[in-house]
Amino acid sequence: MTLDFNTDPMLATWLFRAPCNPEELITLGPTGFECLVRLLYLPDPATEGLPETDAVDDVFGPGDGSLVEQAANLLGQSLHQRLTFCLWDGYSDMPLPGRTNVDVSGLRSYVLAQGTFDDLHQWTASIGLTETRPPAFTWPEDRSWCITSDVDPHWAAVACDHLSRDRLLASHLPTSEMHPNDRIPRYGS
């Protein structure tokens, strides 16, 4: 199967079901889930504001896209399960074949697509890129979890239930559980 870019934008309306800060939506994902886990692309900075260039990019090995794929595979019930993706349309080197049809308060806009786990693994290659990048949002048809990956933070957020949280935290993936009001360490510029 290949990505289907002729996707009804109504599929993304659930992301906005509860009022939330748009900046939190694009970094932490939709509200209403039992748990939130950060999938770390880089380790948290030792000190607040440490420049990201001081972080070692290969500490965890695989790139951002690969970590999101692994997390999605761990959360998914079937590799043939249908997934929906919001692909950020702001990469200057990545022309997307679909049209922008999801907007988050003017902060970010996305192209909506649907496919399977295989499509998640191959979506950047399918449009001619060699670098794997994670979709901004990834969720299954039953919306039992959602992985949110913005271009700015050094992590992706996984909104899920308790069982999925436990699977993620027990896995080999670099993760950190989040609780309401947790202060998230950030790199400086």
Side-chain angles (χ1 to χ4, degrees), residues 42-55 151-155 183-189:
L42 294 173
D44 284 334
T47 58
E48 187 71 26
L50 182 72
E52 192 171 307
T53 54
D54 289 355
V151 294
D152 292 333
H154 65 280
W155 43 267
R183 191 171 155 281
I184 303 168
R186 298 193 184 274
Y187 284 98
S189 41

Side-chain angles (χ1 to χ4, degrees), residues 3-12 82-85 98-99 101-102 111-115 139:
L3 283 180
D4 175 9
F5 286 94
N6 294 317
T7 302
D8 182 357
M10 294 303 289
L11 288 171
R82 195 126 171 96
L83 300 173
T84 302
F85 312 101
R99 61 181 170 77
N101 51 14
V102 177
V111 172
L112 201 60
Q114 284 192 300
W139 68 87

